[in-house]
Amino acid sequence: MTSALEAIGLSKRYGRRTWALRGLDISIPQGCVVGLVGPNGAGKSTLLKTWIGFEKPTSGRALTLGLEPWRDRRNVLPRVAYLAQSPVFYRDLTVRDHLDYVAHYRGSAFDKGQALQRMSELGVTQEAKASTLSGGQAAQLGLAIAFGMQAEVILLDEPLAALDPLARRAFIDVLRAEITKSGATAVLSSHIVSDIERACNRLIVLSSGTVQIEGAVSQLIAEHTVVPASTLIEGDDVVSELPDGRRLCRRRLRNQRPGSEPALEDLVLGYLAAGKSPQ
Amino acid sequence: MTGLRIWWRLHRAPIAILVVASIVCGLFGIAYAENIRCDASLSATDCSQFLIYNPPSSIFTLALAVLPILLGVVLGISTVGSELESGTAAFAWSIVGSRRRWLAEQAVASCVSILVLGMLCGGFNALIVAKLNPGHNLPTSFVGYGLWGPILVVRGLSAYGISLAIGAMLRRVTASVALGLVLVTAATIAALVVGRSFETSQVLASNDPGIYDALGVGSGIPGPNGTFQTWDDCVLTEPLGLDGDARNAWPLEHCREVSSYLPGSKMVDVELRESAVLALLGLLGFGAALALVGSRRP
């Protein structure tokens, strides 16, 4: 399957010493919805920004639809939609103005009618100024723009962070429905594992600029197990200790010992803990 | 048209404020110039000085001369600097295929608005200066030089280019405004100096009628080879053998301070040279902004 997004030995350094990304190797197949999880400062935003061409890699390559976005923005941007963290719109422009703005630059590739319809379904009038939109409405405007652009790749940089649970649920429902319809590839960066679980079929856990784990959610869960600490024996491939004291281990354990399938949250927490203090 | 409409919605507040301010200053300035009269006791020279330098007309003409520069600074910084500071650049630059096309569209619209305001202010000031200085042919006179005419448009455009680069570089509005005003002022002064520095000045007598249209560029005691010299240097050139009253009178007679002027006929040349310097600085700023916008992280 062709990769929609790739990172090949991708590193990004700010200043002389601060590494945001360190030698990432990632390949995201087309049509996937990927959850990008990691603590603050893990490099999630930087990774998304390199895929849209906002950041220049220090070394390695970031590829979006097979192109290097930093060098080839003109050909990459028309095929990609990006929703920034806490989407910032022009305060004095109305919803309609924003859609006109996008239509002006994206031309016929932008389905303004669809975006307008989506906003009206949410009860947001076309003449509402961006400054009057709630966090949820602003996020939905960003999503309406992203899907109106009929982009092949949608990069969502923590759009749920400031939303209440109902707004988050509405956002994810729309995201899932639209992705199913359009077949686009989406990357959703978030702290909230339950949101990732509901929306995504693939997972990347980032910590300190490195990939801790990457793959299809179902496969990753199948490849891990959680066991009580007391049942560990020499040679078990332990990832880390979970907050409740159990251990997250790679692969099935030998000797038919009891172990349970990890919840996605266990998997994420286990690898984030491993990223902090490798075992 | 959509791009223009949205650009207008984003920038209409400062433009409207400055256009209204220019109309108010222009109308009050013209009304004032229309009604002000010299006292009968003033000589023609004193009357001319009174009319051009009396405070109310100075305030109006000065304000009108500054407004296009202010618009240039405000639009220049808001085009990129405030987009970067507020975060809207991330939205805009993820939408546009080419940031340079985006910047060019913004710049064209901004430059047209500066052109319109500059012409409005330049026109108002030409009327005010003409009313305060009857009998002068302004295009061949330095009367009110720099306060009226197309130079106001060029100053505004130059301020725009410089501010555009500063906004893109600093990414902060307040700091950009402060640095922008300093650099634009420096650029305006540099252009003023360069504008007149390639012309040969003439020493005109105070009763020379051309003095009213001329531009004073210096004063001093004439020395050898057409240069100015200090009083002490001049006194040293006193011939030997003088004594008594003759010796006292010699410096008073030979070391008299005179003023040098550029004749009014040079006005267009000086203005063109000053405009060229400002245009060059503005274009340099625009070029720097283009380069910065291409590489900036939103």
Side-chain angles (χ1 to χ4, degrees):
Chain A
M1 191 182 277
T2 319
S3 293
L5 296 162
E6 277 183 275
I8 304 166
L10 176 66
S11 295
K12 174 67 190 178
R13 186 182 60 200
Y14 293 113
R16 287 176 177 271
R17 293 183 182 175
T18 310
W19 288 93
L21 303 174
R22 296 164 186 263
L24 298 193
D25 287 301
I26 299 171
S27 177
I28 298 175
Q30 285 184 354
C32 288
V33 185
V34 182
L36 182 59
V37 193
N40 288 332
K44 304 186 296 293
S45 293
T46 305
L47 179 59
L48 295 182
K49 285 177 180 175
T50 55
W51 273 329
I52 197 168
F54 284 176
E55 296 283 2
K56 183 183 182 184
T58 305
S59 63
R61 299 171 78 200
L63 296 176
T64 303
L65 299 164
L67 302 167
E68 289 194 66
W70 176 257
R71 295 175 198 277
D72 201 3
R73 274 192 220 124
R74 194 182 289 263
N75 290 316
V76 171
L77 281 175
R79 301 168 68 190
V80 179
Y82 171 75
L83 186 53
Q85 204 167 4
S86 317
V88 178
F89 296 109
Y90 295 101
R91 290 180 55 79
D92 294 334
L93 293 190
T94 63
V95 167
R96 187 188 193 86
D97 289 334
H98 279 90
L99 300 180
D100 285 344
Y101 189 89
V102 181
H104 173 66
Y105 285 106
R106 290 288 175 113
S108 57
F110 180 62
D111 188 344
K112 192 172 96 179
Q114 184 203 58
L116 273 174
Q117 190 187 341
R118 178 167 307 289
M119 294 312 290
S120 84
E121 283 167 9
L122 291 165
V124 180
T125 67
Q126 297 175 23
E127 301 313 317
K129 284 194 171 181
S131 56
T132 66
L133 298 180
S134 67
Q137 288 172 328
Q140 289 286 2
L141 174 59
L143 209 52
I145 289 171
F147 285 116
M149 290 194 288
Q150 301 173 58
E152 294 166 59
V153 170
I154 299 170
L155 303 171
L156 304 158
D157 189 359
E158 298 202 37
L160 308 171
L163 305 191
D164 61 59
L166 282 177
R168 289 211 315 266
R169 174 177 281 270
F171 184 97
I172 288 171
D173 288 346
V174 171
L175 177 67
R176 284 170 60 175
E178 287 295 334
I179 291 284
T180 305
K181 203 160 58 178
S182 67
T185 306
V187 181
L188 171 65
S189 135
S190 178
H191 290 298
I192 306 159
V193 178
S194 59
D195 291 339
I196 296 285
E197 194 163 19
R198 291 186 61 228
C200 305
N201 53 24
R202 209 172 168 85
L203 178 73
I204 299 173
V205 177
L206 269 188
S207 179
S208 305
T210 57
V211 175
Q212 300 300 312
I213 188 173
E214 183 213 349
V217 172
S218 55
Q219 190 187 346
L220 292 175
I221 287 176
E223 287 175 352
H224 291 79
T225 190
V226 173
V227 294
S230 57
T231 65
L232 284 176
I233 60 171
E234 184 75 22
D236 282 345
D237 190 359
V238 177
V239 175
S240 69
E241 181 182 347
L242 295 174
D244 61 7
R246 293 176 304 157
R247 301 291 193 273
L248 177 69
C249 299
R250 286 188 197 89
R251 297 198 182 87
R252 296 291 173 198
L253 299 167
R254 290 165 296 153
N255 304 337
Q256 300 296 316
R257 277 170 293 144
S260 56
E261 189 177 77
L264 189 64
E265 185 145 11
D266 291 335
L267 199 66
V268 170
L269 287 175
Y271 274 93
L272 287 180
K276 278 184 186 167
S277 55
Q279 295 195 11
Chain B
M1 282 308 288
T2 305
L4 196 61
R5 181 172 63 80
I6 289 173
W7 175 89
W8 170 247
R9 276 179 169 267
L10 289 173
H11 300 287
R12 63 187 166 184
I15 295 173
I17 289 169
L18 292 176
V19 166
V20 168
S22 73
I23 291 171
V24 169
C25 284
L27 294 179
F28 273 97
I30 289 170
Y32 186 83
E34 187 71 45
N35 292 305
I36 191 171
R37 295 284 180 271
C38 285
D39 191 286
S41 63
L42 288 179
S43 67
T45 310
D46 291 341
C47 178
S48 176
Q49 295 291 307
F50 167 74
L51 289 176
I52 192 69
Y53 293 118
N54 72 83
S57 60
S58 302
I59 288 167
F60 293 132
T61 50
L62 198 62
L64 285 164
V66 166
L67 289 176
I69 297 175
L70 270 185
L71 184 61
V73 171
V74 168
L75 289 181
I77 286 163
S78 64
T79 299
V80 180
S82 71
E83 292 249 7
L84 285 168
E85 186 179 71
S86 67
T88 49
F91 168 70
W93 293 356
S94 70
I95 300 297
V96 300
S98 162
R99 290 185 196 175
R100 293 197 169 97
R101 178 198 157 191
W102 171 83
L103 182 60
E105 283 188 10
Q106 309 278 313
V108 167
S110 298
C111 289
V112 168
S113 68
I114 293 166
L115 177 80
V116 171
L117 183 73
M119 286 170 67
L120 191 66
C121 292
F124 273 134
N125 259 358
L127 282 173
I128 295 169
V129 170
K131 279 186 182 301
L132 292 172
N133 298 275
H136 293 270
N137 179 25
L138 292 187
T140 57
S141 168
F142 279 106
V143 167
Y145 177 69
L147 294 175
W148 59 274
I151 189 75
L152 299 195
V153 174
V154 183
R155 284 195 195 133
L157 294 175
S158 175
Y160 177 74
I162 293 168
S163 304
L164 202 59
I166 293 168
M169 194 168 59
L170 298 186
R171 309 168 64 111
R172 290 284 176 271
V173 171
T174 311
S176 299
V177 168
L179 184 61
L181 287 174
V182 170
L183 289 186
V184 165
T185 305
T188 306
I189 292 168
L192 267 173
V193 171
V194 174
R196 60 189 65 176
S197 63
F198 292 92
E199 298 291 344
T200 309
S201 58
Q202 299 173 10
V203 173
L204 294 178
S206 60
N207 59 353
D208 188 320
I211 204 166
Y212 301 114
D213 289 317
L215 179 70
V217 290
S219 63
I221 300 164
N225 308 320
T227 58
F228 288 127
Q229 60 182 342
T230 64
W231 170 268
D232 291 340
D233 289 341
C234 181
V235 171
L236 286 175
T237 62
E238 178 192 303
L240 295 170
L242 294 178
D243 54 4
D245 290 344
R247 190 170 184 195
N248 290 336
W250 191 90
L252 297 175
E253 195 177 325
H254 292 90
C255 299
R256 233 183 267 157
E257 191 170 286
V258 296
S259 295
S260 62
Y261 297 86
L262 295 180
S265 59
K266 296 285 186 187
M267 196 283 272
V268 174
D269 294 342
V270 170
E271 192 174 61
L272 280 176
R273 200 174 297 117
E274 190 182 329
S275 300
V277 172
L278 288 168
L280 179 68
L281 293 172
L283 283 173
L284 281 175
F286 185 70
L290 268 181
L292 285 167
V293 160
S295 61
R296 264 302 186 230
R297 179 191 313 140

